[in-house]
Amino acid sequence: MSRFEGVRALVTGGASGIGAAITRRLAAEGATVVVLDRDVEPRGLVDGVAAVRADVSDDAGVRAAVAEGVALLGGLDVLVNNAGIGAQGAVQDNPDDEWHRVLDVNVLGLVRVTRAALPALRGSARGVIVNTGSIAATAGLPQRAVYSASKGAVLSLTRAMAADLVADGIRVVAVNPGTVDTPWVGRLLGSAPDPTAERAALEARQPHGRLVDPDEVAAAVAYLASADSGSTTGTAIAVDGGMDGLRVRPRTA
């Protein structure tokens, strides 16, 4: 039997990038998965998995989408709060509207989905919430002020939610990826004056010398969501090539 046989999971932002890798991994290990994403057709499919359109910035829409997803699944055991957006700039570079936009999606979006999903999760014998954080929550990165603030909030929320929900038998954990080779990073590189040099710089700041593969993040999420981590809650796993904790000498040619 696979690790997730009989397990029912919702994955937000599951139509591309890290979310799509998580969806594939959970489904491959036996879970029944429903994707919630803004960029899918109503009752569409993502890699053969049922998908429901949802915009995490719309509370009424989130409640309806979560209810539909839970109905399709027949209950809920695992919620992966992965939906999020990126942003660039130092603290002085973005107007209030951009701060509100990023925090609304990355922080309040997680709150809205979790709030809607909690009644179903409380009905599970193995409820778990996995939040997608970022290295930006624990390491100061240049030109990522608003994004870092949002992911710092995700890390703090993970701990606070874990404290609130542990008595209900619901674990709350997070994964903190480094720079992952996703479509968003691809667009970021494409807009740089020298994409090749920018990619080399992103790779060099991760001690293992390359971008993180989305499947590596998905493997960590699968572990956190599984019974293998049944005593793990209120914490985050870094999947960052050592970026947060290691201080290594620069590589020489």
Side-chain angles (χ1 to χ4, degrees):
M1 246 188 196
S2 59
R3 276 198 295 188
F4 294 105
E5 192 73 33
V7 171
R8 303 152 299 181
L10 280 179
V11 180
T12 71
S16 66
I18 294 172
I22 293 168
T23 297
R24 289 192 299 268
R25 180 65 180 250
L26 295 180
E29 292 203 41
T32 304
V33 184
V34 170
V35 166
L36 301 186
D37 201 289
R38 189 176 59 178
D39 297 321
V40 297
E41 292 301 317
R43 298 183 180 84
L45 295 176
V46 174
D47 291 333
V49 169
V52 176
R53 183 181 292 165
D55 181 344
V56 297
S57 66
D58 172 15
D59 187 53
V62 163
R63 290 180 185 275
V66 169
E68 182 175 348
V70 170
L72 288 170
L73 292 167
L76 185 62
D77 304 297
V78 175
L79 170 63
V80 181
N81 281 311
N82 174 74
I85 54 176
Q88 299 183 65
V91 69
Q92 74 276 12
D93 292 333
N94 288 302
D96 283 4
D97 286 350
E98 179 68 352
W99 281 85
H100 286 301
R101 184 181 77 94
V102 174
L103 293 171
D104 188 44
V105 172
N106 291 0
V107 183
L108 286 173
L110 180 157
V111 171
R112 293 181 186 108
V113 174
T114 302
R115 193 165 53 198
L118 271 177
L121 284 169
R122 286 191 170 105
S124 170
R126 51 167 299 167
V128 59
I129 300 168
V130 185
N131 298 323
T132 299
S134 171
I135 179 66
T138 57
L141 304 181
Q143 296 295 307
R144 292 292 183 274
V146 59
Y147 182 73
S148 296
S150 73
K151 291 302 184 177
V154 168
L155 181 57
S156 294
L157 263 174
T158 296
R159 291 169 176 156
M161 287 162 53
D164 288 334
L165 296 173
V166 66
D168 293 332
I170 298 173
R171 295 187 298 109
V172 187
V173 287
V175 61
N176 282 350
T179 303
V180 184
D181 201 354
T182 62
W184 184 80
V185 169
R187 290 191 294 273
L188 182 69
L189 293 172
S191 66
D194 186 340
T196 301
E198 182 65 17
R199 184 181 182 96
L202 291 179
E203 291 174 340
R205 76 180 184 181
Q206 299 189 144
H208 70 343
R210 62 174 175 81
L211 300 186
V212 176
D213 190 285
D215 288 333
E216 295 173 320
V217 182
V221 170
Y223 164 71
L224 289 170
S226 75
D228 294 337
S229 62
S231 291
T232 302
T233 192
T235 192
I237 289 181
V239 186
D240 62 3
M243 188 176 172
D244 180 43
L246 302 185
R247 303 294 181 265
V248 298
R249 288 187 170 187
R251 295 170 185 250
T252 57

